[in-house]
């Protein structure tokens, strides 16, 4: 495809998503900026599986002294049916920026505007452009130093509102209840079969064997260890992390936020984002760095030994999200490769640590 045709396709996609000079003008004026957007440059960014993101470069008329030169706009992706399926995730991300982001210390993009329809099928997030920060590469993996930086940033999500009983009322989030957990466990088995069929011969037998162990215990696992909870990102991995100078980490894609066992995030990060060899060599170091950072936020009733055991227990977060994510996301060559790599790494971690032995059934 020629550059001209590709540029036209991007412009059409952006216009279809409502990213026009007129709409951006209305949004910025609603946020108190006396400007007109005369022209709007648009380019796609990111590798989102459920939404589309574009870098916007506006040409302003008026007082733009408080406005950045570029934004990143996040909008729905796919056809109306897929948008309806993802509506809950869209609402969750908008609500995160509206209600929760300012109350925690995790680094996230500055949000200039957050809006969604009541049914969640349409939304717009106008976010800080984090360039020149680079998105992590889920397939390539990260360095142990980057994992440590990501773990410390993660503590900024969990620590400030650790076991905060006001969270359901102030955020609309809730810990999963037994009935919902049972339903998820029931659908996970068929979804695991779909995942295995999609991967075919590329899925190692040892990985499939671990995946098959998860559905029968998923409900009990989800409701276990409920005495420790905090906001959980749910998909805290490299594709959702931006690395800036000195590996400063900013987390994006907040569509899967919930309340749950905090260790689910650190387990998912390590199980999917480090090579098996690096994870085996450095997981203790990374979990200890996370634990140290939690203590800096005042979490003083969570011994390191408990944190390490919660990490082991929480490793089932990885196959759960991998299988469900693959079922929801539109199939792509990169997506399939990513899910396969993540599954192999995660199942190796599960074989190493046997979280099944920690589940009360």
């Amino acid at each position: 495809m020629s550059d001209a045709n590709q540029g036209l396709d991007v412009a059409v996609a952006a216009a279809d998503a409502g990213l026009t000079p007129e709409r951006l003008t209305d949004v910025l004026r609603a946020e108190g900026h006396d400007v007109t957007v005369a022209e709007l440059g648009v380019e796609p960014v990111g590798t989102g599986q459920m939404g589309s993101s574009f870098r916007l470069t506006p040409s302003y008329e008026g007082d733009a002294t408080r406005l950045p030169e570029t934004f990143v706009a996040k909008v729905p992706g796919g056809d109306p049916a897929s948008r309806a399926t993802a509506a809950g995730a869209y609402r969750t991300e908008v609500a995160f920026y509206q209600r929760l982001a300012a109350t925690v210390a995790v680094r996230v993009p500055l949000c200039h505007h957050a809006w969604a329809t009541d049914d969640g099928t349409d939304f717009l997030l106008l976010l800080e452009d984090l360039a020149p920060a680079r998105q992590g590469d889920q397939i390539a993996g990260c360095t142990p130093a980057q994992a440590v930086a990501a773990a410390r940033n993660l503590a900024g999500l969990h620590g400030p509102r650790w076991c905060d009983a006001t969270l359901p009322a102030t955020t609309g989030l809730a810990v999963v209840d037994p009935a919902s957990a049972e339903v998820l466990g029931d659908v996970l088995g068929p979804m695991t079969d779909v995942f295995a069929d999609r991967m075919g011969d590329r899925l190692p037998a040892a990985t499939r064997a671990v995946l098959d162990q998860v559905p029968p215990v998923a409900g009990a696992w989800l409701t276990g260890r409920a005495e420790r909870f905090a906001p959980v990102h749910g998909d805290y991995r490299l594709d959702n992390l931006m690395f800036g100078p000195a590996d400063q980490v900013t987390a994006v894609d907040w569509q899967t936020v919930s309340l749950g066992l905090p260790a689910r995030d650190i387990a998912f990060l390590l199980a999917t984002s480090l090579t098996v060899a690096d994870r085996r060599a450095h997981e203790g170091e990374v979990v200890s760095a996370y634990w140290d950072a939690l203590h800096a936020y005042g979490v003083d009733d969570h011994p390191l030994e408990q944190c390490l055991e919660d990490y082991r227990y929480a490793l089932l977060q990885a196959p759960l999200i991998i299988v469900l994510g693959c079922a929801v996301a539109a199939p792509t060559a990169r997506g399939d490769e990513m899910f396969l790599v993540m599954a192999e790494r995660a199942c190796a971690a599960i074989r190493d640590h046997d979280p099944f032995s920690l589940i009360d059934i």
Side-chain angles (χ1 to χ4, degrees):
M1 180 184 296
S2 70
D3 290 344
N5 287 338
Q6 186 175 27
L8 180 61
D9 288 345
V10 171
V12 170
D16 287 345
L19 298 177
T20 63
E22 294 77 16
R23 186 181 186 191
L24 188 56
T25 296
D26 291 342
V27 166
L28 295 177
R29 288 181 177 176
E31 296 291 342
H33 302 283
D34 186 15
V35 296
T36 297
V37 177
E39 296 181 359
L40 188 62
V42 181
E43 61 178 304
V45 294
T47 57
Q49 298 287 316
M50 295 172 61
S52 299
S53 296
F54 298 89
R55 176 173 289 114
L56 307 183
T57 306
S59 296
Y60 299 113
E61 294 177 353
D63 182 9
T65 54
R66 295 184 294 121
L67 290 170
E69 294 182 359
T70 59
F71 299 93
V72 167
K74 189 166 185 179
V75 293
D79 56 29
S82 62
R83 294 182 184 192
T85 300
Y90 297 156
R91 285 197 303 268
T92 295
E93 184 164 32
V94 169
F96 167 80
Y97 283 105
Q98 291 174 331
R99 302 177 186 176
L100 186 58
T103 74
V104 290
V106 63
R107 278 188 296 275
V108 300
L110 175 66
C111 183
H112 297 274
H113 181 75
W115 167 86
T117 56
D118 289 341
D119 67 3
T121 57
D122 193 15
F123 77 101
L124 171 64
L125 288 170
L126 200 60
L127 302 172
E128 173 189 6
D129 186 356
L130 298 171
R134 291 181 173 272
Q135 182 185 27
D137 186 332
Q138 196 65 52
I139 296 172
C142 67
T143 67
Q146 288 174 321
V148 167
R152 287 175 175 151
N153 187 48
L154 180 59
L157 173 63
H158 301 156
R161 304 198 66 175
W162 185 270
C163 295
D164 183 344
T166 69
L167 276 165
T170 58
T171 66
L173 301 174
V175 176
V176 65
D177 60 84
S180 298
E182 184 178 356
V183 169
L184 184 57
D186 289 343
V187 303
L188 192 60
M191 285 188 174
T192 300
D193 292 336
V194 170
F195 177 84
D197 290 344
R198 181 160 149 185
M199 297 304 158
D201 293 341
R202 296 174 294 171
L203 185 66
T207 300
R208 174 67 195 268
V210 172
L211 295 178
D212 285 340
Q213 288 181 270
V214 178
V217 300
W221 175 83
L222 275 168
T223 55
R225 307 203 169 200
E227 64 274 16
R228 284 180 296 286
F229 65 91
V232 173
H233 183 287
D235 198 16
Y236 195 81
R237 57 184 177 84
L238 290 181
D239 272 7
N240 294 332
L241 300 178
M242 302 292 292
F243 291 87
D247 285 338
Q248 179 175 316
V249 177
T250 303
V252 299
D253 282 352
W254 293 89
Q255 297 179 342
T256 52
V257 180
S258 64
L259 298 186
L261 181 67
R264 285 163 50 186
D265 280 335
I266 190 69
F268 191 55
L269 171 72
L270 288 176
T272 64
S273 300
L274 288 170
T275 66
V276 173
D278 277 347
R279 192 259 311 154
R280 287 171 175 163
H282 297 280
E283 62 191 338
E285 168 195 351
V286 178
V287 175
S288 293
Y290 163 77
W291 179 78
D292 284 339
L294 280 180
H295 276 243
Y297 291 110
V299 180
D300 54 9
D301 59 350
H302 185 48
L304 178 59
E305 294 77 13
Q306 186 181 73
C307 187
L308 289 166
E309 187 180 272
D310 278 359
Y311 162 69
R312 285 182 56 208
Y313 178 92
L315 285 167
L316 294 194
Q317 176 77 3
L320 189 76
I321 296 300
I322 291 164
V323 168
L324 294 178
C326 186
V328 171
T332 65
R334 183 190 183 276
D336 283 0
E337 182 182 2
M338 179 192 75
F339 286 125
L340 187 60
V341 168
M342 290 170 65
E344 291 180 18
R345 289 173 181 165
C347 290
I350 290 169
R351 289 193 298 271
D352 287 347
H353 290 291
D354 187 20
F356 299 106
S357 65
L358 301 176
I359 302 171
D360 294 325
I361 300 177

